[in-house]
Amino acid sequence: MLVVLVAAKIAAELAERIGIPAVVGEIVAGVLIGPSLLGLVSTTSALEVLAELGVILLLLQVGMEMDIKELAAVGRASVSVAVLGVILPLVLGYAAGLALGYDSNTALFLGAALAATSVGITARVFADLGVLSSVEARTVMGAAVADDVLGLVLLTIVVRMVSDGSVSAATVISTILLAVGFLVVTTVLGGRLGIVLFRGIQRYSRSAGTLVALALAFALAFAELANLAKLAPIVGAFVAGLALSRSESRERIARELTPVGHLFVPVFFLQIGIAAEVERFVDPKVLGIAGVLVVVALVTKIASCLAVFGSPGDKLTIGFGMVPRGEVGLIFATIGLSEGVLGRDLYAALVLVVLITTLVAPPMLRFRLRAVRDRLQPEPVDPMPASGWLWVDDGVVDLAAMPPPELQTVLALDAALLVSGGARPGPKLLDWLGRGGPTPWDGEATQRLVDVLMRGNDRGWRFLDTSGVLVRALPEVADAVERWHRDPELSDPTQVVRFDAVDTLQRIIREDRTAAAVAERLENRELLVLAALVSDLTGEHPPGALVAALADRLDLETHAHGALLALTADQGLLRGVASRANGLGETSVLSLGSHLGDPERVRGLYLLDLAEGPLEPAARDRLDTLLGRVLSAVEGIGERDEPNEFARRRDAAIRLAGTDEGVADRVLHAPRSYLLAELPERVVATARLMEPRPERRDVRVAVGTRPSGGVVIDVATKDQRGILAAVTAAFAERELDVVRAQVATWGDGSALESFDVEPRPGCALPSPDELANDISARLGGRMEAAPLADSEIAFDDAGSPWYTICEVRHVDRPGLLSTIAAALSLAGVSVHAAQFDTVDGHAVDRFSLTDQAGAKLRREQKDAIRSAVTGGARGRGRLGRLVRG
């Protein structure tokens, strides 16, 4: 499995980079790692089971991506192309098999294997060229949908007949009745069962993984039903997908099944290559058979366009679009080999046919589409009808007259809302949008986009994608849409555009009472849905550039631009803070409130964090509690002109400073996080310790007690490298255990470190002068961090608005904190706060860190920390000094 998974992903990445379908790369990778070449893996029962699970997942996804209503509405032209595209290859393939000297069963299987069309490969070409809404694309895509169903029926019939060993009329009729009956009965009953069953599961399940696990179990149950009926299990998986496609949970199931498919679907394709014998690919006999079958495959599929003579659209484009065999042909080949119908020679020949048709179809299609596009003539523009440009009749939204091209953006967005409501796009509308043209953006288009975000659904977004308007009108979404289309595991890219964060946000507001109540308090819900859109588009990338581009495109006002950037930059913050052990404490809540400052922003972040995914009940309770506390901290701002908690604490400390202007000024410029973490009396006391500003070798120490009785040691010095390491080393030598640390720095270059400490039993508390001398002797010297090879290190960027939280776990021992502090200094990062716990004999040390510019840590800085802590380090510290808080 190690070799197979790594090979599958390397093959998919390489195939993507050289512009060939991932399935081709995965088969070739299977040949390379298989017994006929490198011999890294061989066919085993375990691999066969995983490959079968992969193909069941593949057919489950195909079924889920298929809309029964759209299947019924593919049109006469698509059905005609599909039927002729199955009959011609079946008949000529059967004849070719007999001519090549094979028996009738084998010849029948060859013909059936040549009959299937791969919708995914053709759809990617149409999507790349932005013509998914053209007449040709709609005909081919509709034909491919019908072809999937016909191919599965054909597979069922052929496998049953071959396994029975006869091709009598009675066998044919009984098998057809059984196959069609199974499909009809299980689709109808399964659809009703799926709707009720998964509505209840979604409503009552508490565990995050229940829905997706039971969806897969549902598919396996239908596969087993098909197996009991002596049909191919993949037929049952396909029917399960059809049933789930009508469920209210379809989007969530599809989203959560996708990573499972990423693991197991490639195993099926690699298994095909592993089972192949490479020497047969160069055997003249195999090459001759493959040559004959390739000619049959090309000629019969291209000839299927004869079914639409007299209908609109370019006939050769339709024929070329039907050529690729892809995954369906491979399923036939695999079943034929396992059933003993196909020998190794024929299996290798069929794999070659699939590879060749999959590779030649895209360039043929691109060449023809460009030639057709160059011949297009502009349509004459009509006067606008009194009822408007769009009209809906019998569930179809279409053009009432021919509008000017510059209205494409607004009318497409209007139509997307109607499509979201259940209407189907009409042929005139799709043809007009598919022609391309100018897509100017204005305030009216912005409002329409917000309407689609708030009231639309995946059907509306797919319409905008297939029409090409989404990318033409909003180039900012082009990279994300391209990334989705290029997902090698998608069986049908026409179904790919799903704005998960937007859809989840809508669903949560509809179904969750707390979320609905929070949303009702929002004054500007438009910014919230735009932030969700940015989340969908950026994924793991920083949102700043995209927000700026979108704000410019949508002509947002300056304050709206800033609010949108703030929302997207802080997404995940409330969720991250709530997950921390001290996240609900006063200091954490006040820091958050001070950072966010606005109830509107707090509520928006809460809803965006909910849309990130389901939470366990305890985690949701903590998030809700944090919401209430942070709102309490910020909602007083502006009411009766009362200052917020930060200003109250600062003003109280300034009053305590009295007439001492130096102390009052230092309080005035104290870091916000420090003012919120300490009582005003402590702030004034430490400010006095820091006046006047310490010089480089000046170390001042004060020892006091907390109101609760604990010992607190304050160290004031000039901001310089290795302060924390020097102080903790002095404490370790004096046998003082640090419980908590708070660090603050001022703009004038002075630094303050406050430590809650506990002397070890039998050890006296040293005097301030003794500690000052110990610390001063260590400043500026060489540091050494002994390796802590068994340490567990974790980073959290979402748990604080300002810092990266670094957690280090290690078996507790004397001097541990000093060692870690030295490692952090040598890694070149700055420590702003620290907290220490002991759990079951293990020290759990948490540090709030930034880089020298005060920003959260980058990946290379995190790697440097891991290296310094686990591998040890020595030196004077590269950049390890404190920065302004």
Side-chain angles (χ1 to χ4, degrees), residues 73-92:
V74 293
R76 182 188 60 80
S78 293
V79 172
S80 301
V81 170
V83 171
L84 193 59
V86 168
I87 292 175
L88 288 179
L90 179 63
V91 172
L92 291 185

Side-chain angles (χ1 to χ4, degrees), residues 456-470:
N457 56 32
D458 59 295
R459 295 185 77 248
W461 290 114
R462 285 204 299 270
F463 161 74
L464 289 173
D465 179 41
T466 56
S467 67
V469 172
L470 188 61

Side-chain angles (χ1 to χ4, degrees), residues 162-207:
V162 167
S163 62
D164 287 349
S166 62
V167 194
S168 64
T171 301
V172 172
I173 294 171
S174 64
T175 304
I176 291 175
L177 291 175
L178 177 62
V180 174
F182 180 85
L183 283 170
V184 171
V185 172
T186 52
T187 299
V188 173
L189 296 181
R192 293 178 180 176
L193 174 64
I195 291 173
V196 175
L197 179 63
F198 284 91
R199 181 186 296 150
I201 291 171
Q202 178 161 311
R203 179 176 300 172
Y204 298 112
S205 63
R206 302 299 297 270
S207 172

Side-chain angles (χ1 to χ4, degrees), residues 4 58 76 118 196 239 291 380 384 498 541 555 590 599 644 651 762 767 844 855 868:
V4 167
L58 177 65
R76 182 188 60 80
S118 172
V196 175
V239 171
M384 178 178 173
R498 301 187 185 101
H541 304 290
D555 196 24
L590 293 177
N644 61 21
D651 293 347
S767 70
V844 182

Side-chain angles (χ1 to χ4, degrees), residues 529-585:
V529 294
L530 286 175
L533 175 65
V534 170
S535 175
D536 280 319
L537 296 179
T538 55
E540 298 297 323
H541 304 290
L546 178 63
V547 171
L550 269 179
D552 183 59
R553 171 80 53 187
L554 305 181
D555 196 24
L556 297 181
E557 296 179 1
T558 303
H559 71 88
H561 178 188
L564 179 60
L565 183 59
L567 266 181
T568 54
D570 283 335
Q571 187 171 353
L573 178 59
L574 292 178
R575 195 172 178 136
V577 172
S579 67
R580 289 168 52 194
N582 61 345
L584 302 182

